[in-house]
């Protein structure tokens, strides 16, 4: 099992996909998860490994998803008797559907490196590629006739201004540093891709003319308006290296403020199609229930109510108004 666990982690890293590692760090019987049990939760909410079944499984999937979205690790404590200490980084769930026992699971997100697409083979483009690699970015270089030795090191080379084969996400950044070499073509390609940042290396005057051209060509004005032109924070940069520093600083600033900066939200559509867990909070015990595979479903006043166990369903049926009022309060 350990070998499968490690292989899966390596596979997801190679595919630049986010995942979370969950490890049982403490357990009190009769919880089914044992200390040392571990699992990987991928972008689809699938668990590879074991940290517990039933309600524990649904909680871990939800918390793993939250960890990937936020980029923050957390300790998840699940049991019948809890401290409710509200410690930072500790998520507590009181389990009414299990017998006495407790399990604590540490969840750590593993996120892909930030991705930057640099279009052009100018001195600024080369400086930006070099600086981005040093800063831990995954770099895609795009320009006609470029070769592996055109740049110091890149992860992906595209030899024409065509991004069809480039996989970008809501966390990707694209910088057009073509400086006169098919600027409009490169920008149109950049604006056709999903990203959190598009920057154009140019003077203000030239940038304005190119933006007007794009709008006249039918490119969405809102997309054009979002282009950072001139690219980079104004630090009075002179050399290609200084310009590259100003651009990378702006990218980091934008990424830290953008929704989905962790790179996780890029998978939302795919995950919906794949039957990704969608959670409903059980009104009786407060435990998240995957609506794709609940234990029970009840129609109450035109609303579907999902349950994780027999006990919660029975309690709800005894006094539904009590629990629905509590859930909406």
């Amino acid at each position: 099992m350990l070998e499968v666990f490690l292989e899966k982690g390596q596979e997801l890293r190679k595919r630049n996909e986010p995942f979370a590692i969950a490890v049982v760090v403490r357990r009190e019987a009769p919880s089914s998860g044992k200390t040392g049990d571990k699992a990987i939760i991928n972008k689809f909410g699938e668990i590879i490994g074991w940290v517990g079944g039933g309600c524990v499984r649904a909680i871990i999937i939800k918390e793993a998803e939250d960890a990937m979205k936020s980029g923050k690790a957390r300790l998840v404590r699940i049991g019948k008797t809890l401290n409710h200490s509200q410690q930072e980084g500790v998520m507590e769930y009181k389990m009414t559907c299990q017998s006495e026992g407790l399990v604590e699971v540490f969840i750590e997100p593993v996120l892909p490196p930030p991705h930057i697409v640099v279009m052009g083979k100018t001195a600024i483009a080369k400086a930006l590629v070099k600086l981005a690699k040093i800063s831990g970015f995954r770099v895609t270089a795009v320009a006609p006739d470029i070769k592996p030795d055109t740049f110091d090191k890149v992860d992906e080379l595209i030899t024409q201004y065509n991004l069809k084969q480039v996989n970008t996400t809501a966390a990707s950044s694209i910088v057009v540093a073509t400086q006169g070499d098919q600027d409009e073509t490169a920008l149109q390609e950049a604006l056709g891709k999903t990203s959190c940042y598009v920057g154009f290396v140019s003077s203000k005057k030239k940038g304005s003319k190119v933006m007007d051209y794009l709008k006249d060509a039918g490119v969405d004005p809102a997309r054009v308006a979002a282009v950072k032109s001139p690219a980079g924070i104004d630090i009075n940069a002179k050399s290609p290296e200084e310009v590259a520093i100003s651009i990378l600083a702006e990218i980091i600033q934008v990424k830290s403020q953008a929704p989905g900066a962790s790179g996780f939200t890029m998978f939302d559509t795919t995950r919906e199609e794949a039957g990704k867990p969608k959670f409903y909070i059980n009104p009786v015990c407060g435990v998240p229930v995957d609506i794709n595979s609940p234990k029970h479903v009840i129609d109450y006043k035109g609303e579907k109510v999902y349950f994780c166990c027999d006990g919660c369903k029975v309690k709800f049926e005894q006094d539904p108004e009590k629990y629905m009022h509590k859930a909406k309060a």
Side-chain angles (χ1 to χ4, degrees), residues 124 175-179 199-203 206 228-231 243 247:
I124 291 175
V175 179
V176 178
T178 46
Q179 295 184 277
F200 180 45
V201 177
S202 70
S203 66
K206 179 178 180 179
K228 301 291 185 178
S229 177
V243 174
I247 294 171

Side-chain angles (χ1 to χ4, degrees), residues 82-202:
L82 300 173
N83 297 326
H84 299 293
S85 56
Q86 296 185 338
Q87 296 172 284
E88 183 177 357
V90 177
M91 309 300 294
E92 293 191 336
Y93 288 87
K94 185 174 182 179
M95 297 292 288
T96 60
C97 54
Q98 72 173 22
S99 56
E100 293 291 342
L102 178 141
V103 63
E104 294 184 355
V105 182
F106 181 73
I107 299 177
E108 181 178 12
V110 181
L111 304 178
H115 179 216
I116 184 171
V117 179
V118 180
M119 305 184 75
K121 52 185 176 183
T122 60
I124 291 175
K126 292 177 180 179
L128 182 57
V129 165
K130 184 177 181 179
L131 184 62
K133 283 299 294 181
I134 292 172
S135 302
F137 280 71
R138 180 169 64 87
V139 178
T140 298
V142 183
D145 304 320
I146 55 175
K147 300 176 182 179
D149 60 356
T150 300
F151 302 95
D152 282 354
K153 288 182 180 179
V154 294
D155 300 282
E156 184 179 29
L157 280 173
I158 306 296
T159 58
Q160 56 183 320
Y161 290 133
N162 186 323
L163 300 183
K164 185 177 181 180
Q165 302 301 319
V166 179
N167 293 322
T168 62
T169 73
S172 293
S173 303
I174 306 175
V175 179
V176 178
T178 46
Q179 295 184 277
D181 179 17
Q182 303 180 57
D183 296 335
E184 293 84 358
T185 298
L187 268 167
Q188 282 182 299
E189 285 291 319
L191 291 173
K193 301 295 289 187
T194 301
S195 67
C196 67
Y197 175 95
V198 175
F200 180 45
V201 177
S202 70

Side-chain angles (χ1 to χ4, degrees), residues 231-288:
I233 294 172
D234 186 2
I235 58 172
N236 197 29
K238 302 297 184 184
S239 69
E241 290 75 19
E242 289 174 344
V243 174
I245 288 171
S246 75
I247 294 171
L248 198 59
E250 185 172 56
I251 288 172
I252 292 170
Q253 183 181 65
V254 169
K255 279 175 57 61
S256 67
Q257 298 171 350
S262 67
F264 186 73
T265 56
M266 57 190 174
F267 299 110
D268 284 352
T269 300
T270 304
R271 293 166 76 244
E272 291 287 344
E273 293 170 354
K276 162 253 180 185
K278 291 180 285 185
F279 295 103
Y280 177 94
I281 303 303
N282 182 332
V284 176
C285 66
V287 168

